[in-house]
Amino acid sequence: IICFSLPLPMLCLSENLLVVTVATKETDGFRRFLRSAKHFNYSVKVLGQGLKWEGGDYMSAPGGGQKVRLLKAALDQMKDEDQIILFIDSYDVIFASDPRELLKKFKQAKHKVVFSSESLIWPDRHLEDKHPHVREGNRFLGSGGFMGFLPNIKEMISNWTGADSDSDQLFFTRIYTDPAKRKSINITLDSKCRLFQNLHGALDEVVLKFEDGRVRARNVLYDTLPVIVHGNGPTKLQINYLGNYIPNIWTFEGGCSVCDENLRPLESEHPLVMVGVFIQQPTPFVTVFFERLLQLQYPKNRLKLFIYNQEAHHKHHVDAFLRDHGNLYENIKNIEPEEEMDAPSARNLLFELCRRDEGCDYVFSLDVEVVLKNDKTLKILIEQNLPMIAPMITRSGRLWSNFWGALSADGYYARSEDYVDIVQERRVGVWNVPYVSSVFLVGGSLLRSDLSDPELFSSDVLDPDMAFCHHVRRKGVFMFVTNMHTFGRILSTENYQTTRLHNDLWQIFENPVDWQERYIHQNYTLIMKDKLIEMPCPDVYWFPLFTNVACDHLVEEMEHHGKWSGGGNVDKRIQGGYENVPTIDIHMNQISFDKEWRKLLMEYVAPITEKMYPGYYTQALFDLAFVVRYKPDEQPSLRPHHDASTFTINIALNQVGLDYQGGGCRFLRYNCSVTAPRKGWALMHPGRLTHYHEGLPTTAGVRYIAVSFVDP
């Protein structure tokens, strides 16, 4: 409490300060306002709660008269002439400092009523010349915030007789521009934004100021620190951005101060969630997507599945998942390609199904391109207890993410100041943003109230995701994204072809991380650390390289291609057209896999080569790369020979004892054999000079190996 002298008796002014606002509805913005008021211990009186708003849409047209009517009625009940009233909007306002600072600056203004100021005049430009000139600062009155002594404010609004839809801004402007009334009531403007900061017309002037564990808004034009920040007019997104930090929501010293408040613990009872899966384009690793969906740590009997598949190519993926696991879920609705439903209609339908189901607590919308690595994602989002929230996902190696930090003037992507820090997790928290996509959670009660429009995703000009977020913003609903945990990433679907049997094999360039997880042995990264490289014969190195899936897919792809060589010496596929030691094989370039194979050698084999053969640095140039097939009645073995390579890679693609009998490789010079090749493991040995070797007979079944002749 601060006490100081005015031309009135000594007052403890902070006890006499009352914040008055009008809020007919409890919105996300109103809750934010109250939180900031509570943070600084302001006393707040809320008018109009539960009433219908009749003040018009003064975002686009003059209005707000209902606020003046409600204020007048409330002040008529107040009798303490020492009362100081702060009347402000609430949906788009935050406090940046405490009553002590506000009252100090009010005293320094040396007037009985102080209005916020603006650089733009609205709604009647004809009144511009009637505004008094100021030596420095804004000339024009802003009605979204003013404070003063009770008698003076009563006098100011005593003549209000307007309709609820009339303009409060115009009413107060006419009073201020009347010299007699301005003098009688003793009104001034906060021209340098010491008390109030209106953002409209001042976006370039306002920055965040981080200092000593506090966050303020700073007006760089006047070098002031306003106590109250107002996102008036079309600056709602900017006040949302500032509200991610002010007051002390996020600081460099303490991080997020509110992210663990008002959580919803999930202990015994789990809300019912409708999970919407959307497949709108050919997408790699769909099988893996469904595996991860199955692994979500959430009771399956509290999940209803809604699957929308627009791609015939993925029908067998969906059918296989539902056949094997569909009975685990509470309910399933599957929209197939032949139904020819468009994507906006499908997304609208998902929301409508939740609205109709009173038991539906949440909708969890999930695009098939999302790689959801965190199996607790759904629980984490529900526990945040927010009406709409998305987990942050990114694209590997890029700054792309599933949220936008800001919007351009025409409503498209713009990069906010903090976007890169959030994406790279240098700033961690829960962030109010203007756009989310690909994966998000929205409350069922929200869909039955503010978002009850059945056409949220429909638009003649916008994509469905942009149309949806536009509708959400227009309703004043906050969209949050959290990077408090690592959730996953999103796939690139560019250049994804569906002409092959196992199209994912070709994704080593477009989606290298996902390709590695799918096809590279889980122990590969431990090879050096845990000394997993074995040496079964002199200078022959054996290490895990492929997963079982990689082996199976490569074999199946070759058999699907089906153009095996005849095993004769004449071979037009190779330079010179003659093979001295022929095998029955298919070359990688026959299935257009040679570039991908070279990438595999460079990324996963070359590092081991350089470690095992010190001083040898390969560029992974190969003369030949092929899959060999050994069968007892076709070609069971291979006679002793040297390879035409500096070194050779030989990868076992199936399992001895299970898929075939016999087989293996014998190095004659060392009288050493590898007779039990492990599926997915690679043998690496010198080729031309020292390691004369032979392929041992396959006595039953079919044996497959992938071979590369590698030269510097």
Side-chain angles (χ1 to χ4, degrees):
I1 295 175
I2 178 172
C3 297
F4 47 83
S5 296
L6 285 172
L8 297 170
M10 179 74 73
L11 297 173
C12 265
L13 289 179
S14 62
E15 290 184 347
N16 285 22
L17 174 65
L18 178 65
V19 179
V20 181
T21 190
V22 172
T24 57
K25 185 178 179 181
E26 187 174 327
T27 66
D28 291 338
F30 178 70
R31 285 186 285 269
R32 175 182 60 194
F33 167 80
L34 288 184
R35 183 174 64 190
S36 72
K38 181 180 178 182
H39 181 82
F40 292 113
N41 294 316
Y42 284 93
S43 296
V44 179
K45 182 177 181 63
V46 182
L47 308 178
Q49 287 180 300
L51 299 180
K52 183 180 179 182
W53 175 250
E54 303 284 0
D57 180 11
Y58 57 98
M59 275 280 293
S60 54
Q66 185 177 3
K67 295 191 299 181
V68 185
R69 177 175 64 82
L70 292 172
L71 176 63
K72 182 180 179 183
L75 297 189
D76 285 345
Q77 305 301 313
M78 300 181 190
K79 306 302 180 184
D80 184 355
E81 295 191 355
D82 295 332
Q83 183 87 61
I84 297 175
I85 301 297
L86 169 63
F87 187 65
I88 50 176
D89 291 349
S90 57
Y91 295 162
D92 50 9
V93 168
I94 50 178
F95 287 101
S97 191
D98 55 33
R100 178 190 181 104
E101 181 178 338
L102 179 68
L103 289 166
K104 178 181 179 182
K105 290 178 175 179
F106 173 66
K107 175 191 174 184
Q108 291 169 344
K110 298 179 180 179
H111 284 71
K112 299 294 181 64
V113 176
V114 179
F115 270 87
S116 68
S117 68
E118 299 190 43
S119 62
L120 305 173
I121 185 170
W122 187 82
D124 187 353
R125 298 192 59 165
H126 296 95
L127 295 175
E128 178 175 353
D129 291 340
K130 294 188 176 183
H131 279 75
H133 287 277
V134 296
R135 263 188 307 183
E136 184 182 10
N138 299 323
R139 279 182 65 195
F140 306 116
L141 175 145
S143 65
F146 60 84
M147 69 182 297
F149 287 94
L150 177 63
N152 303 80
I153 294 179
K154 277 187 173 183
E155 178 185 351
M156 182 173 65
I157 63 175
S158 60
N159 293 325
W160 170 262
T161 57
D164 283 355
S165 58
D166 285 351
S167 172
D168 62 330
Q169 174 84 12
L170 187 58
F171 172 73
F172 289 120
T173 298
R174 284 174 173 160
I175 293 174
Y176 176 68
T177 54
D178 183 318
K181 291 181 178 178
R182 185 170 67 247
K183 181 177 180 180
S184 170
I185 301 169
N186 196 6
I187 305 174
T188 190
L189 299 187
D190 177 33
S191 296
K192 294 185 182 179
C193 306
R194 300 180 72 244
L195 289 81
F196 305 96
Q197 176 66 66
N198 289 313
L199 294 179
H200 188 32
L203 292 180
D204 293 336
E205 301 170 13
V206 179
V207 298
L208 288 169
K209 176 184 172 71
F210 295 90
E211 187 175 53
D212 299 330
R214 291 192 65 189
V215 191
R216 297 288 297 267
R218 177 176 175 239
N219 186 305
V220 295
L221 182 62
Y222 306 121
D223 194 22
T224 54
L225 297 174
V227 177
I228 299 160
V229 186
H230 182 197
N232 58 320
T235 63
K236 308 307 176 197
L237 301 187
Q238 287 74 23
I239 191 67
N240 289 349
Y241 165 75
L242 296 174
N244 284 327
Y245 298 92
I246 302 169
N248 296 356
I249 300 298
W250 191 96
T251 64
F252 285 103
E253 293 83 356
C256 182
S257 64
V258 300
C259 292
D260 293 328
E261 293 181 0
N262 300 317
L263 297 182
R264 175 178 184 166
L266 288 182
E267 296 171 351
S268 56
E269 186 174 343
H270 287 72
L272 181 65
V273 182
M274 196 169 286
V275 179
V277 174
F278 292 88
I279 307 173
Q280 295 179 229
Q281 58 191 334
T283 305
F285 305 108
V286 169
T287 301
V288 182
F289 170 88
F290 280 113
E291 290 171 1
R292 292 199 173 103
L293 180 63
L294 191 65
Q295 293 164 4
L296 272 181
Q297 295 297 306
Y298 203 87
K300 300 292 186 294
N301 63 353
R302 300 299 292 164
L303 297 178
K304 293 187 176 184
L305 276 188
F306 175 98
I307 300 178
Y308 168 72
N309 178 24
Q310 204 173 25
E311 284 295 328
H313 172 72
H314 293 308
K315 188 177 186 305
H316 70 284
H317 293 123
V318 175
D319 290 346
F321 174 75
L322 294 180
R323 180 187 66 244
D324 296 339
H325 308 293
N327 63 324
L328 298 176
Y329 294 89
E330 170 73 14
N331 181 267
I332 292 173
K333 182 170 181 61
N334 181 25
I335 299 176
E336 300 183 292
E338 51 267 27
E339 297 183 46
E340 298 184 348
M341 180 181 289
D342 61 37
S345 298
R347 293 181 184 273
N348 287 331
L349 176 58
L350 170 64
F351 280 9
E352 189 60 30
L353 291 174
C354 182
R355 291 187 192 103
R356 295 174 190 169
D357 183 351
E358 287 297 325
C360 177
D361 297 301
Y362 293 95
V363 168
F364 184 47
S365 181
L366 183 61
D367 292 355
V368 76
E369 308 96 85
V370 173
V371 180
L372 213 55
K373 294 282 291 179
N374 191 330
D375 61 9
K376 295 183 176 64
T377 296
L378 184 53
K379 284 187 174 182
I380 291 169
L381 297 183
I382 292 174
E383 285 171 347
Q384 283 296 148
N385 201 24
L386 293 168
M388 183 172 171
I389 184 169
M392 187 188 77
I393 55 172
T394 59
R395 183 160 287 162
S396 182
R398 302 182 189 178
L399 287 174
W400 188 97
S401 75
N402 66 321
F403 78 93
W404 295 351
L407 295 182
S408 63
D410 54 359
Y412 289 87
Y413 170 83
R415 180 173 291 181
S416 60
E417 176 273 333
D418 56 359
Y419 177 82
V420 174
D421 279 354
I422 294 174
V423 170
Q424 296 182 343
E425 298 180 356
R426 291 195 292 267
R427 301 187 190 186
V428 174
V430 179
W431 312 95
N432 186 346
V433 297
Y435 170 92
V436 297
S437 67
S438 302
V439 52
F440 58 86
L441 182 80
V442 59
S445 60
L446 182 62
L447 295 176
R448 288 183 280 269
S449 55
D450 288 344
L451 299 184
S452 60
D453 186 338
E455 301 292 334
L456 290 174
F457 290 92
S458 303
S459 171
D460 294 332
V461 294
L462 297 174
D463 291 338
D465 54 339
M466 295 182 64
F468 171 61
C469 292
H470 173 76
H471 282 111
V472 173
R473 293 192 301 269
R474 287 287 299 173
K475 288 292 185 179
V477 174
F478 289 172
M479 291 173 275
F480 293 93
V481 66
T482 173
N483 64 344
M484 296 282 287
H485 304 262
T486 299
F487 294 101
R489 56 187 176 270
I490 194 162
L491 294 167
S492 170
T493 57
E494 300 169 13
N495 305 317
Y496 186 63
Q497 304 297 318
T498 59
T499 56
R500 304 179 177 97
L501 182 64
H502 295 296
N503 301 281
D504 297 348
L505 269 175
W506 278 259
Q507 286 294 298
I508 190 170
F509 291 105
E510 291 291 339
N511 293 290
V513 175
D514 299 271
W515 191 93
Q516 176 175 322
E517 289 184 355
R518 185 66 163 160
Y519 292 126
I520 295 300
H521 198 287
Q522 62 180 359
N523 290 332
Y524 173 83
T525 55
L526 304 176
I527 284 175
M528 302 300 182
K529 176 184 175 183
D530 293 348
K531 299 180 180 178
L532 293 183
I533 299 179
E534 300 178 19
M535 192 169 69
C537 299
D539 285 327
V540 175
Y541 298 101
W542 204 13
F543 55 90
L545 182 60
F546 277 168
T547 62
N548 285 344
V549 172
C551 297
D552 295 343
H553 282 191
L554 190 54
V555 168
E556 291 166 10
E557 198 68 50
M558 291 302 184
E559 289 291 1
H560 180 71
H561 180 72
K563 297 180 180 179
W564 296 94
S565 65
N569 295 106
V570 176
D571 192 343
K572 295 180 180 179
R573 299 172 302 171
I574 63 176
Q575 188 175 358
Y578 184 85
E579 171 59 69
N580 188 43
V581 187
T583 54
I584 292 178
D585 56 48
I586 295 176
H587 289 189
M588 297 298 179
N589 59 12
Q590 289 179 253
I591 62 167
S592 301
F593 197 61
D594 45 327
K595 292 180 181 178
E596 287 75 12
W597 194 261
R598 180 178 286 110
K599 176 73 169 176
L600 162 74
L601 295 177
M602 282 298 299
E603 291 290 326
Y604 300 103
V605 175
I608 296 175
T609 304
E610 293 164 9
K611 181 73 174 179
M612 296 298 99
Y613 301 127
Y616 181 83
Y617 300 98
T618 179
Q619 293 300 310
L621 301 176
F622 58 89
D623 290 326
L624 287 175
F626 48 94
V627 171
V628 180
R629 183 174 71 184
Y630 291 112
K631 297 170 66 175
D633 58 351
E634 188 176 67
Q635 180 183 12
S637 61
L638 192 61
R639 66 178 176 83
H641 61 283
H642 283 292
D643 291 335
S645 66
T646 301
F647 68 90
T648 296
I649 303 296
N650 179 331
I651 308 166
L653 297 180
N654 56 349
Q655 186 62 53
V656 64
L658 181 65
D659 302 310
Y660 66 91
Q661 302 294 329
C665 183
R666 177 171 177 255
F667 296 94
L668 280 72
R669 179 173 182 175
Y670 306 106
N671 192 27
C672 181
S673 299
V674 180
T675 56
R678 301 167 190 161
K679 184 177 180 179
W681 281 55
L683 282 175
M684 182 172 68
H685 60 82
R688 286 191 177 88
L689 186 61
T690 57
H691 283 62
Y692 193 59
H693 60 284
E694 64 179 331
L696 298 174
T698 297
T699 58
V702 183
R703 178 188 177 211
Y704 297 93
I705 60 172
V707 178
S708 287
F709 294 163
V710 185
D711 286 303

